Amino acid sequence: MTARKSGSRLETEIERCRSESQWDKIPELVRQLSAKLIANDDLGELLLAECKLQTYLKENPLKQGASPRGPRPKLVEVRKHLTAALDRGNLKADYLQEVSLLMAKLCYVEGEYRDALGHYSRVNLDDLQLGGAPVYRLSMIAEAYATKGLCLEKVPAASPSLSNKNTGSPSSNRSTTDRDQEIINCYEKSGDIALLYLQEAEKALSAGIQNRSPKPGPTAQDLELGYFLETGLQRAHVIHFKNGNLTQGVGRFREILRAVENRTTQSLRMTIARQLAEILLRGMCEQSYWSPLEDPPTVSPLDDPTRQGHTHTKNYSLSRRPRVYSGENLFCPQENTEEALLLLLISESMANRDAVLSRIPEHNNDRIISLQSASVVYDLLTIALGRRGQYEMLSECLERAMKFAFEEFHLWYQLALSLMAAGKSARAVKVLKECIRLKPDDPTIPLLAVKLCIGPLHWLDEGECFGKIVIDMGEKAAEFRAKGFLAIGLVYSLKATDASLRSTQEEYQRKALGAFQRAQSLSPTDHLAAFYLALQLAVSRQIPEALGYVRQALQLQGDDVHSLHLLALLLSAQKHYHDALNIIEMALSEYPENFNLLYTKVKLESMCRGPEEALLTCKHMLQIWKSFYNLTNPSDSGRGSSLLDRALADRRQLNAMTLPDFSDPDTVSGSSSSHSGSEPVSPTSPSTISTLSSPLSSPASPVFILQPPPPPRNPSFLPACPPPPPPPPAPAPTKTRTQSFCNHVCLRQLSNCGLLDANTLGFSSMFSVCSVHATSIAASRVEQALSEVASSLQSSAPKHGPMHPWMTLAQIWLHAAEVYTGMSKPAEASACTQEASNLFPTSHNVLYMRGQIAELRGNIDEAKRWYEEALSITPTHVKTMQRLGLILHQLQRYSLSEKVLRDAVQVNSTAHDVWNSLGEVLQAQGNAAAATECFLTALELEASSPILPFTIIPRAL
C-alpha cells in the first residue's frame, strides 16, 4: 500500500516535470522510479530518451527553413533508449504511442522524413484522444502534427503523381490540392492543440504553485513554445497566403487571436495582431470585409482567381478545442480599418509593456528588437489613423512611444509630423528641433519648422533662424537651398508687413526681394520662386516687373490659383478692371470655392457691373459656404464607432477671438498664411503610406464630395411679392487637385467635428426691410435672394469648433455690408453687419463697418465712437485710422487728425487714400506745400493701387 502511494506521487511528479519542461529533474526521478517495485526499465527508457532529446533541441535549436540532415552523435543514446523500449514492448499502449511519437520526432531531427511519416502512420494521430489526456501529452500530439506537416512538405509526392504532374493532368492537380489540404490540416490541428496545451499548462502551473506554497511566492515562469509548437501556430496562415488564399489566412489569424491569452503566447499574439492589421490595411477593402464572428465567404475577391475551386475547407474536428473569449456586449469591429486599429492598439499596449529600455551592452540586442517591433506598430497606426484623419489620437499614441525614442530619429520625426497634422504647431516646432539635432544634414526638417513658424504660429524670428540653417548647409542642401532662400524671403516679407516704421519696412522689403531673386536664380523652374518674387515686387509697387514674373510663374504652373489671383490684382492696379474680372472668373472656373477669389470678384463687379451683380456674388458665396462646410466622407457613412470617430473640437470661445481683416495688409498676413481659401475636406481615397509624408513632397490629390444644401425657405416676414427667378446653381467643387499638407490636416479635423450637421449650420434672417425700398427690380431680386439664403441658414449664434469657417462667414457678411454701404442702404448694411457681429462681436472689422454705417446715416459722433472702439482693439488698422482722421478733420480738430493720419502713413505708406486725407488736413491748416506733396504722393500711389491689397494673397511655404 505504501509502495503504491509512493509510486503514485512519483508518477505525478514526473508528469508535472514533463508538462513544465523541467528536463533537468527527469534523470533523478528515473533513478527513483527504477528503485520502486511497481516500475520497470522501459518507462525509464522512454523518460530518458525524451529528456535527452529535448535537452539537445534546447541546446541546438532548429531554425525556420533549415533542413536537418544526418545522424547526430548526441542523439545516438536517444535512439538506443527508444529502440530498447519498442523492442521489449512491455509498456502500456499510451506509453508505446509516446515512444513512437518521440521516434518520429527523432527521425525528423536527423532528416529521415519518410521514416518519420511511417511512424506517424502506425500511430494514426487522428485516433489519439485529447479528452482526459495529461498536459504533457497535449504538447506531444501538437508537436507530432507539426512535425508531420513539415515532413509532408519535405518529402516529394509519389512517383505516379509526379508523372501526372509532368503531364499537367487533372489528377495531378487534385493530388497536389489534396496534399496541400493535408499539410494545412496538420498545421491547423497542431496550432489548435498547442493553444489548448498552453492554456492547460498555465492553469496547472498556477494551481501547483498555489498548492505548494500558501505564502506569496514567485510567479510561474513562462513556458517555451519551441520550434515545433511555434511552427504549428504560424505555418498554416503562411501557406494560405502563399497559395493566394487570403480569406482563409485571415480567418486563421482570427481563430488564434480569439483564443484565451496566456503569458507564453503574448509575444506571438502581438506578432500575429500586427501582421493581420497590415493585411487588413494593405490587402482588404470595405467591400471584401466580413465580420470576425462570421464564417469566411466561400468566394472572395481577395483570393487568387486562378485557384477558384481549390479553396481549403476545414474538414476535421477535435474532441477538445482551446477556450475562446466569449460573452455578452463584446466589441466587434464593423470594418477593416476599425479592426486594424483595434489590433494595433492591442499591439501597442503589449509593445509598451514589454519595452526593453536598458542601455547596458548585454541588453542591446533585446532593445533593438523591442524598438523595431514597436516602430512597425506605430507605422501601421499612422496608416490606420491617418485614413480617418485622427491625427490627435495618432499624436497621443506617438507620445507614448517616446520611451523608445532616445536617439531614434524615426519616432521623433513621426511625432513631429503628427503634431503638425493635429494642429499642435508649437509643440511640433520643439520636436522638430530635436529632429534637427539628430539629423543635422537633412534640409527638409528645418523647412518644415519654417513652414509652421511663418504659417499658424507667426514666429518670424524663429522662422528666420530655421531658414538660415538650410542656407548654411550650402551644397549639402542641394535643390532645397532654393527653398531656404524662399523661406527667408517669406519671413522678411511678413516682417515688412508687421513693421511700424517706414524705414524698417523698406529694409525688410529689400531683403525679401534679394532672397526671392536668389531663390529664383537657384531654381528657375520653380513657379513658387517666380510667384513670390512677383508678389513682393507688387507689394513694393513695381507693377511692370511684377507682371513679368507672374507671367513666368504661370508659364511654369498654369493653373496655380495664387498666380492667377496676383495677375488679376496687378491688372486692377493698372486699372484694367474688366480684364482682371475675366481672369478672376477663369480662375473661379477651376477653383469655384476659393473665397479669396470671390472677395476680389465682389470688388471688381462693384466697379465694372454695378453693386447688384456684386450682391449676387455675395449670395453665391453664402450658398458655397453652406455646402462647403456640409461635407461628408462617403467612406464614413454608416460606420459609427466610438473607437474611431473622435471629434476634434476646438473649445475656444468665438467671442474671445478677433476677425482678421480680409482686405487690409496690416492683419491679413497672420490669418491668410495658413488658409488658402480652397482647402479640401475628407478625401475619399486616402493613400496608404507607411509613414506620414513630408509636406515638401508631392502631396496626394484627394477627391471631395459636397452635400447640396436643402432648398431655402421663404421667410414669413417678407411681403407677398412675385418670386424671383431661381439663381444659377452653385457649382459643386468636386474637382481633384493637390493641396498643402497643413491645409489638408486643418480641414480633415473639420470633417470629423460637430459643425457638419446641416441642421445646425444656419443663420437668422438678416433683413427687416421690404424689397419695395430697392431702386431697381434687379436690386429687389438680389435682396429677396439674400433674404432666402439668410433665413434658410437659420441662426448665426456663435458656435464652437475650428475658427476658419466662421471667420470666412463673417467676411462674407462684411463684404455684403460694404456693397450695401456703397449703394447708400444703411438698413441692409446694418443687418449684414449684425450677422458678422453675432459671430465676432469684438472684431475691429465689425466695429469699423458700424462706423461706416453711422457715417452714411450722418451720425458723426456715433461713427467717431465706433472708430475709436475699433482702434482700441487693433491700433494699427489703417482704414479705421483714415476714417477717424477725416471725422476729426470735419470736427476741425486738425492737429489730432494730422497725428492720426501720419500714424496711418507710418503703418502703411502705400495707402493712397490716407495720403489724400492727410493732404486735405494739411491744406486746411494752411500748409500748402506739404499738402501738395501729399496729394502728389496719393496720385502716384493711386495709379498703382489694386482693387484689394496684394497681401490678401497668402504667404506660406
Side-chain angles (χ1 to χ4, degrees), residues 283-460:
M284 184 180 293
C285 61
E286 294 184 5
Q287 290 72 23
S288 58
Y289 180 82
W290 75 97
S291 172
L293 301 181
E294 300 173 355
D295 293 331
T298 55
V299 178
S300 172
L302 300 176
D303 299 334
D304 186 357
T306 62
R307 295 183 61 88
Q308 294 292 340
H310 303 285
T311 305
H312 165 76
T313 56
K314 185 175 291 188
N315 55 4
Y316 68 88
S317 61
L318 298 176
S319 57
R320 290 179 66 188
R321 300 191 64 84
R323 299 187 305 277
V324 297
Y325 291 107
S326 61
E328 298 180 356
N329 300 324
L330 294 180
F331 174 78
C332 182
Q334 297 299 314
E335 54 131 12
N336 58 328
T337 308
E338 202 167 74
E339 183 177 351
L341 180 56
L342 176 63
L343 293 167
L344 291 172
L345 291 176
I346 294 172
S347 300
E348 185 215 4
S349 175
M350 292 181 176
N352 281 310
R353 181 192 59 197
D354 302 332
V356 179
L357 306 179
S358 175
R359 309 293 297 186
I360 62 176
E362 291 81 0
H363 295 163
N364 189 48
N365 290 335
D366 293 336
R367 182 177 53 80
I368 292 175
I369 293 173
S370 176
L371 171 64
Q372 291 174 345
S373 178
S375 296
V376 173
V377 172
Y378 286 113
D379 287 345
L380 292 172
L381 271 172
T382 299
I383 297 174
L385 293 173
R387 285 184 176 181
R388 287 302 190 93
Q390 298 293 333
Y391 301 109
E392 181 84 18
M393 184 188 293
L394 176 59
S395 64
E396 294 172 0
C397 292
L398 289 170
E399 283 176 2
R400 294 194 293 269
M402 286 297 100
K403 64 168 64 177
F404 300 95
F406 180 72
E407 300 294 324
E408 294 296 335
F409 170 79
H410 178 69
L411 289 177
W412 280 102
Y413 195 51
Q414 287 286 83
L415 176 61
L417 293 175
S418 68
L419 290 171
M420 287 179 63
K424 301 176 182 178
S425 303
R427 295 188 62 196
V429 170
K430 295 182 183 297
V431 177
L432 286 172
K433 288 181 180 179
E434 178 66 14
C435 294
I436 293 173
R437 186 189 68 81
L438 293 173
K439 205 169 183 181
D441 295 334
D442 189 347
T444 62
I445 305 171
L447 285 176
L448 287 176
V450 176
K451 182 180 180 69
L452 294 177
C453 289
I454 67 178
L457 296 176
H458 207 67
W459 293 355
L460 300 183

Side-chain angles (χ1 to χ4, degrees), residues 669-936:
S669 60
S671 64
S672 63
S673 60
S674 61
H675 300 290
S676 65
S678 60
E679 300 92 330
V681 186
S682 290
T684 61
S685 302
S687 59
T688 55
I689 53 175
S690 60
T691 59
L692 282 175
S693 61
S694 166
L696 299 173
S697 62
S698 176
S701 300
V703 179
F704 311 96
I705 297 180
L706 292 181
Q707 192 177 43
R713 303 189 304 270
N714 187 29
S716 59
F717 61 84
L718 287 178
C721 56
T734 58
K735 176 179 174 59
T736 300
R737 62 179 182 275
T738 58
Q739 296 290 335
S740 68
F741 184 85
C742 287
N743 291 342
H744 172 70
V745 168
C746 174
L747 290 178
R748 283 297 296 270
Q749 289 182 349
L750 177 62
S751 68
N752 289 323
C753 73
L755 296 176
L756 303 182
D757 186 359
N759 296 324
T760 64
L761 291 174
F763 311 91
S764 61
S765 59
M766 73 173 188
F767 298 112
S768 59
V769 181
C770 181
S771 60
V772 296
H773 297 291
T775 57
S776 66
I777 296 177
S780 68
R781 289 178 176 176
V782 169
E783 289 175 23
Q784 184 167 354
L786 281 173
S787 300
E788 292 172 352
V789 173
S791 50
S792 71
L793 295 177
Q794 298 177 0
S795 170
S796 60
K799 295 177 174 59
H800 299 291
M803 300 304 302
H804 182 61
W806 306 111
M807 289 161 48
T808 302
L809 179 63
Q811 291 171 9
I812 296 172
W813 287 120
L814 290 177
H815 268 288
E818 188 174 358
V819 174
Y820 275 118
T821 302
M823 297 173 66
S824 299
K825 292 188 174 184
E828 290 85 343
S830 179
C832 294
T833 305
Q834 183 60 43
E835 292 294 334
S837 178
N838 290 340
L839 294 168
F840 296 92
T842 59
S843 167
H844 64 276
N845 291 297
V846 173
L847 299 176
Y848 166 75
M849 188 55 64
R850 289 189 186 280
Q852 288 277 86
I853 296 169
E855 277 195 82
L856 184 61
R857 287 172 171 164
N859 298 329
I860 302 300
D861 293 334
E862 182 184 355
K864 177 175 175 290
R865 178 172 58 84
W866 287 120
Y867 292 144
E868 288 174 345
E869 289 187 11
L871 288 176
S872 68
I873 296 173
T874 306
T876 59
H877 189 222
V878 174
K879 294 168 71 174
T880 302
M881 298 169 76
Q882 188 255 341
R883 298 308 305 175
L884 180 59
L886 285 179
I887 287 180
L888 293 172
H889 171 51
Q890 295 178 28
L891 297 175
Q892 298 183 355
R893 300 176 65 180
Y894 300 122
S895 298
L896 184 56
S897 175
E898 181 183 354
K899 171 67 169 59
V900 172
L901 291 172
R902 287 189 181 277
D903 290 343
V905 168
Q906 284 293 326
V907 174
N908 184 7
S909 60
T910 60
H912 65 277
D913 48 359
V914 178
W915 283 103
N916 186 69
S917 299
L918 181 59
E920 292 177 0
V921 172
L922 292 174
Q923 185 179 23
Q925 291 177 317
N927 192 347
T932 301
E933 185 178 350
C934 289
F935 289 140
L936 290 175

Side-chain angles (χ1 to χ4, degrees), residues 491-758:
V491 170
Y492 289 146
S493 179
L494 292 172
K495 281 188 173 184
T497 301
D498 294 344
S500 58
L501 297 177
R502 183 174 181 179
S503 60
T504 307
Q505 291 177 357
E506 292 175 351
E507 179 184 359
Y508 280 128
Q509 286 178 355
R510 178 180 54 80
K511 289 183 176 180
L513 278 175
F516 289 139
Q517 287 171 349
R518 187 66 187 278
Q520 204 269 341
S521 64
L522 288 174
S523 182
T525 59
D526 184 6
H527 76 282
L528 287 178
F531 162 72
Y532 280 119
L533 179 55
L535 178 59
Q536 191 58 41
L537 289 169
V539 171
S540 302
R541 296 301 175 89
Q542 302 179 41
I543 304 301
E545 294 85 351
L547 275 170
Y549 281 107
V550 78
R551 289 192 176 101
Q552 182 178 342
L554 286 171
Q555 287 175 355
L556 296 171
Q557 187 75 27
D559 60 348
D560 181 54
V561 60
H562 300 314
S563 298
L564 292 170
H565 195 184
L566 178 57
L567 177 60
L569 292 178
L570 288 170
L571 291 174
S572 71
Q574 293 183 330
K575 313 311 174 196
H576 302 315
Y577 296 116
H578 290 279
D579 294 337
L581 183 56
N582 292 335
I583 294 294
I584 290 294
E585 290 178 340
M586 180 183 69
L588 283 171
S589 66
E590 292 291 322
Y591 304 91
E593 74 282 10
N594 189 300
F595 288 104
N596 278 347
L597 294 176
L598 290 166
Y599 300 152
T600 308
K601 183 182 179 183
V602 169
K603 287 284 189 178
L604 290 171
E605 284 182 332
S606 297
M607 184 74 67
C608 299
R609 301 173 182 172
E612 293 82 4
E613 290 289 333
L615 287 176
L616 282 174
T617 301
C618 291
K619 172 212 174 254
H620 180 59
M621 280 195 288
L622 288 174
Q623 292 174 333
I624 289 180
W625 188 93
K626 186 180 179 184
S627 62
F628 190 74
Y629 294 112
N630 266 300
L631 287 168
T632 58
N633 188 349
S635 63
D636 292 346
S637 58
R639 299 293 189 184
S641 168
S642 60
L643 183 66
L644 290 174
D645 302 328
R646 294 180 50 184
L648 304 178
D650 186 348
R651 296 301 179 187
R652 294 173 294 178
Q653 288 286 347
L654 290 175
N655 292 347
M657 305 298 293
T658 58
L659 177 64
D661 194 343
F662 48 84
S663 62
D664 190 64
D666 312 322
T667 56
V668 73
S669 60
S671 64
S672 63
S673 60
S674 61
H675 300 290
S676 65
S678 60
E679 300 92 330
V681 186
S682 290
T684 61
S685 302
S687 59
T688 55
I689 53 175
S690 60
T691 59
L692 282 175
S693 61
S694 166
L696 299 173
S697 62
S698 176
S701 300
V703 179
F704 311 96
I705 297 180
L706 292 181
Q707 192 177 43
R713 303 189 304 270
N714 187 29
S716 59
F717 61 84
L718 287 178
C721 56
T734 58
K735 176 179 174 59
T736 300
R737 62 179 182 275
T738 58
Q739 296 290 335
S740 68
F741 184 85
C742 287
N743 291 342
H744 172 70
V745 168
C746 174
L747 290 178
R748 283 297 296 270
Q749 289 182 349
L750 177 62
S751 68
N752 289 323
C753 73
L755 296 176
L756 303 182
D757 186 359

Side-chain angles (χ1 to χ4, degrees), residues 181-353:
Q181 176 90 10
E182 184 181 2
I183 292 172
I184 292 174
N185 284 344
C186 287
Y187 287 132
E188 290 188 348
K189 290 178 183 178
S190 173
D192 291 341
I193 300 172
L195 292 173
L196 176 63
Y197 155 69
L198 294 171
Q199 292 173 355
E200 296 298 323
E202 185 172 86
K203 185 199 305 184
L205 194 60
S206 300
I209 289 179
Q210 292 176 0
N211 293 336
R212 292 195 302 272
S213 176
K215 298 181 181 180
T219 58
Q221 295 182 351
D222 294 346
L223 297 171
E224 293 184 3
L225 274 177
Y227 171 77
F228 296 100
L229 293 183
E230 188 170 348
T231 300
L233 287 168
Q234 294 193 4
R235 186 62 183 163
H237 56 260
V238 171
I239 297 178
H240 282 310
F241 295 141
K242 183 179 178 181
N243 293 340
N245 194 346
L246 192 62
T247 303
Q248 295 297 330
V250 170
R252 183 59 189 168
F253 269 142
R254 288 172 169 176
E255 290 177 0
I256 296 175
L257 291 173
R258 287 187 62 193
V260 175
E261 182 181 5
N262 56 78
R263 287 190 298 270
T264 307
T265 59
Q266 286 177 352
S267 176
L268 175 67
R269 288 173 69 88
M270 185 177 74
T271 301
I272 291 178
R274 186 180 69 236
Q275 292 173 345
L276 177 55
E278 186 169 2
I279 291 171
L280 292 171
L281 291 173
R282 296 180 181 273
M284 184 180 293
C285 61
E286 294 184 5
Q287 290 72 23
S288 58
Y289 180 82
W290 75 97
S291 172
L293 301 181
E294 300 173 355
D295 293 331
T298 55
V299 178
S300 172
L302 300 176
D303 299 334
D304 186 357
T306 62
R307 295 183 61 88
Q308 294 292 340
H310 303 285
T311 305
H312 165 76
T313 56
K314 185 175 291 188
N315 55 4
Y316 68 88
S317 61
L318 298 176
S319 57
R320 290 179 66 188
R321 300 191 64 84
R323 299 187 305 277
V324 297
Y325 291 107
S326 61
E328 298 180 356
N329 300 324
L330 294 180
F331 174 78
C332 182
Q334 297 299 314
E335 54 131 12
N336 58 328
T337 308
E338 202 167 74
E339 183 177 351
L341 180 56
L342 176 63
L343 293 167
L344 291 172
L345 291 176
I346 294 172
S347 300
E348 185 215 4
S349 175
M350 292 181 176
N352 281 310
R353 181 192 59 197

